[in-house]
Amino acid sequence: MEDDPFLQKFQPSELKIASEFLTNCLPFLSRDLCKDCVKVLSDRICSLDPEHCSNRDKVDGESNNKAGLESEGASNSVKETEISFGTLSEVLGSVLPSRQASSAAETASPRMSWADMSQEDEFEEEDEEEESRKAFDASPVKIPEKPKLSREQREDLRLRNVKRKKDFICLERFKGRLVNVVDGLELHTGVFSAVEQKRIVDKVYELQEKGHKGELRERTFTAPQKWMRGKGRVTIQFGCCYNYATDRAGNPPGILQREEVDPLPSLFKVIIRKLIAWHVLPPTCVPDSCIVNIYDEGDCIPPHIDNHDFLRPFCTISFLSECNILFGSNLNIEGPGEFSGSFSIPLPVGSVLVLNGNGADVAKHCVPAVPTKRISITFRKMDESKRPVWFTPEPDLQGIEPLPLDMNRSDSAARSSGSSNNHNGSNRRGGYGRRGGGGGNNYETRGYYNPERSSEHYDSREWSSSQRRGRPRPSGTS
């Protein structure tokens, strides 16, 4: 590893995860290969985490020496279609007669693989455990269960693997000074698993259906006619009614304090608690309103700066498909749904973009016409003086605390996240000229949901209350 320039780009913890993931996939990767090729491939995978592989092979060797003809006959009776992803020793056992595949239970690792973390929905844990127990009791053969991590251990692993990019830079002249107009932007990926994303999307479609049936308040749901390209995206507002432009009654853009909309759905409050607990938004700026945008192909959002009836920072979460968001102190309208600007950020599926500082108040932002269906949910905290007259703070959104971060760990997620989330200028109305670091736009997601790639069905029930990690303490969109 020390001599390989490619491997030197990664942290040891990342190589361990890669080693386990590739080891689990080795039965598939090595299918139809000769034993020499399998050996070369397995050695290459072992080189990612030599210490773990050597310990595993030692255990496998001892267990295999004890295995007799009886074990060999049992393993030979397994059909090829019944082979499941297992350990490295299991793979070699299927190719080399001297190794047996019966050591799976003895060598099962309690560590979580990359694929496990990508697909995990920790909010379904209780239901899954109950179903597993029923299936286990009904099974005629009792198979030893793989050691499981606790809920807290799994959440800590996922929290460590969140990628946080905070070094965006785009220098433009603003008020006679050269300014980093995107300073304060943050992109967080890996916050929501594929299953969690699916549940959120299902809930949005459920709310859209209620809106079409007239089951939501009049100002909550808006579905304008598509009279031209870029016009006609569906919006659903919760917590407050926001007026995009001066209306017929003469009300200026901003929060309409006497218009009523529906309160935040329970699932959305769970999302907010997670954003605070996972150091995406600061506990000093807990959102109390949100707007859902449902895009069809060709829909867009024109250049704008979010109204200052809402505090900073705020964030937007992307679902279903990736799209670009443009930033710049001057954004040009080239045609219906077509815009140009000096800085573009791809928004991966499931990512959370936080807007703060210059990125929220100096640079305008817009979303050009999207190439396919997209959903975004923007969470914002209202200025207390601008809240609707009927507004009542949500009790379960009070006193939320971020989860502790181990600042001594060496992985890149810890170094990039920081213990206080580094939201400089929280709740401030503006500011520019702060220094920003350099860096390219390089993103990664741990899992995503796309209805065209998933045929599994999950109901749209709210996530369990076990996600409430906080300890109580006294009390334009994209």
Side-chain angles (χ1 to χ4, degrees):
M1 171 180 169
E2 293 78 3
D3 301 329
D4 193 317
F6 177 78
L7 295 182
Q8 289 175 356
K9 300 177 183 178
F10 302 92
Q11 296 295 324
S13 60
E14 296 174 325
L15 294 177
K16 286 179 181 291
I17 293 175
S19 174
E20 185 180 51
F21 175 71
L22 292 173
T23 298
N24 289 339
C25 293
L26 196 53
F28 173 75
L29 299 175
S30 62
R31 186 176 297 169
D32 300 326
L33 297 181
C34 67
K35 64 180 182 179
D36 292 334
C37 294
V38 173
K39 184 66 167 59
V40 172
L41 182 59
S42 62
D43 289 345
R44 182 65 57 86
I45 295 174
C46 278
S47 68
L48 299 176
D49 186 15
E51 180 180 355
H52 181 70
C53 284
S54 62
N55 294 336
R56 178 174 53 209
D57 290 343
K58 181 178 179 181
V59 173
D60 291 341
E62 292 175 355
S63 63
N64 288 329
N65 288 335
K66 297 178 183 179
L69 294 176
E70 196 174 317
S71 173
E72 182 178 358
S75 63
N76 288 337
S77 65
V78 180
K79 297 180 181 179
E80 182 179 358
T81 56
E82 296 172 342
I83 296 178
S84 61
F85 289 170
T87 64
L88 176 61
S89 302
E90 291 179 296
V91 179
L92 295 178
S94 67
V95 179
L96 305 177
S98 60
R99 305 302 296 268
Q100 303 299 328
S102 61
S103 59
E106 297 166 304
T107 60
S109 169
R111 294 192 303 160
M112 176 176 289
S113 70
W114 180 93
D116 292 333
M117 285 186 287
S118 173
Q119 295 297 327
E120 183 198 13
D121 182 7
E122 58 194 53
F123 311 108
E124 286 282 6
E125 181 192 21
E126 296 178 1
D127 293 342
E128 292 176 354
E129 286 182 350
E130 181 63 25
E131 293 176 2
S132 298
R133 282 194 295 269
K134 291 179 181 179
F136 183 77
D137 294 338
S139 174
V141 179
K142 302 298 182 180
I143 304 174
E145 291 186 5
K146 181 179 179 179
K148 293 183 177 180
L149 297 176
S150 67
R151 187 191 304 270
E152 290 73 19
Q153 289 173 320
R154 293 201 312 276
E155 184 163 29
D156 181 65
L157 279 174
R158 290 188 59 195
L159 180 57
R160 291 189 186 193
N161 281 274
V162 172
K163 302 298 181 182
R164 311 177 194 267
K165 181 172 176 58
K166 305 181 181 184
D167 57 355
F168 297 103
I169 183 168
C170 176
L171 299 178
E172 292 185 358
R173 193 160 296 278
F174 181 77
K175 293 185 178 180
R177 299 174 57 185
L178 199 60
V179 173
N180 179 14
V181 296
V182 293
D183 188 30
L185 296 183
E186 300 179 8
L187 186 66
H188 302 250
T189 56
V191 177
F192 298 99
S193 72
V195 179
E196 291 166 355
Q197 293 175 46
K198 171 106 174 41
R199 181 167 300 173
I200 296 169
V201 169
D202 285 347
K203 183 64 176 180
V204 169
Y205 284 143
E206 175 188 321
L207 293 169
Q208 183 182 19
E209 183 66 22
K210 286 184 176 181
H212 284 303
K213 292 180 179 180
E215 297 175 4
L216 299 176
R217 293 183 184 271
E218 181 180 357
R219 298 305 293 263
T220 297
F221 179 78
T222 305
Q225 296 295 321
K226 295 183 182 297
W227 55 274
M228 66 175 292
R229 174 181 166 84
K231 302 292 185 180
R233 75 179 188 280
V234 173
T235 60
I236 311 176
Q237 303 189 65
F238 296 103
C240 72
C241 177
Y242 177 73
N243 194 27
Y244 288 94
T246 302
D247 59 20
R248 295 177 181 177
N251 296 310
I255 296 174
L256 299 178
Q257 294 181 297
R258 299 194 176 278
E259 293 287 349
E260 288 194 50
V261 296
D262 289 89
L264 288 166
S266 298
L267 179 61
F268 287 14
K269 291 188 285 187
V270 174
I271 297 173
I272 291 172
R273 289 196 294 270
K274 183 168 187 175
L275 293 173
I276 304 300
W278 282 37
H279 299 256
V280 176
L281 290 175
T284 55
C285 198
V286 179
D288 51 17
S289 66
C290 80
I291 181 166
V292 179
N293 288 292
I294 304 175
Y295 300 74
D296 279 329
E297 180 182 347
D299 288 343
C300 69
I301 289 183
H304 68 283
I305 290 178
D306 281 52
N307 194 287
H308 284 97
D309 285 358
F310 301 99
L311 303 181
R312 274 56 170 158
F314 56 93
C315 72
T316 184
I317 313 174
S318 299
F319 300 100
L320 291 184
S321 64
E322 178 175 310
C323 76
N324 291 331
I325 183 170
L326 301 182
F327 284 88
S329 56
N330 290 294
L331 297 178
N332 300 316
I333 300 177
E334 306 293 344
E338 298 179 4
F339 315 111
S340 62
S342 54
F343 195 78
S344 175
I345 300 177
L347 299 178
V349 178
S351 65
V352 186
L353 180 68
V354 177
L355 291 86
N356 195 18
N358 294 348
D361 296 316
V362 174
K364 295 181 180 180
H365 60 275
C366 66
V367 175
V370 297
T372 185
K373 290 186 70 69
R374 174 180 185 255
I375 290 174
S376 71
I377 306 179
T378 298
F379 290 96
R380 301 180 291 195
K381 179 179 177 64
M382 294 179 281
D383 185 319
E384 291 187 9
S385 65
K386 302 295 184 179
R387 287 173 173 172
V389 294
W390 51 266
F391 178 81
T392 301
E394 298 282 356
D396 45 357
L397 292 181
Q398 308 304 309
I400 307 174
E401 295 285 355
L403 292 173
L405 286 177
D406 181 7
M407 298 307 297
N408 294 322
R409 66 178 186 262
S410 59
D411 56 273
S412 58
R415 291 198 305 271
S416 61
S417 61
S419 61
S420 64
N421 208 29
N422 196 27
H423 285 281
N424 295 325
S426 297
N427 300 354
R428 292 188 298 186
R429 296 292 181 91
Y432 61 90
R434 301 195 331 242
R435 297 178 59 189
N441 296 341
N442 192 8
Y443 311 100
E444 176 181 352
T445 51
R446 292 290 176 184
Y448 63 89
Y449 160 68
N450 188 315
E452 296 178 359
R453 299 184 55 179
S454 174
S455 59
E456 296 179 358
H457 173 73
Y458 300 87
D459 62 31
S460 57
R461 293 173 296 171
E462 267 49 328
W463 299 342
S464 71
S465 59
S466 61
Q467 263 302 291
R468 301 181 184 181
R469 302 292 189 190
R471 295 182 297 276
R473 66 184 177 193
S475 336
T477 64
S478 301

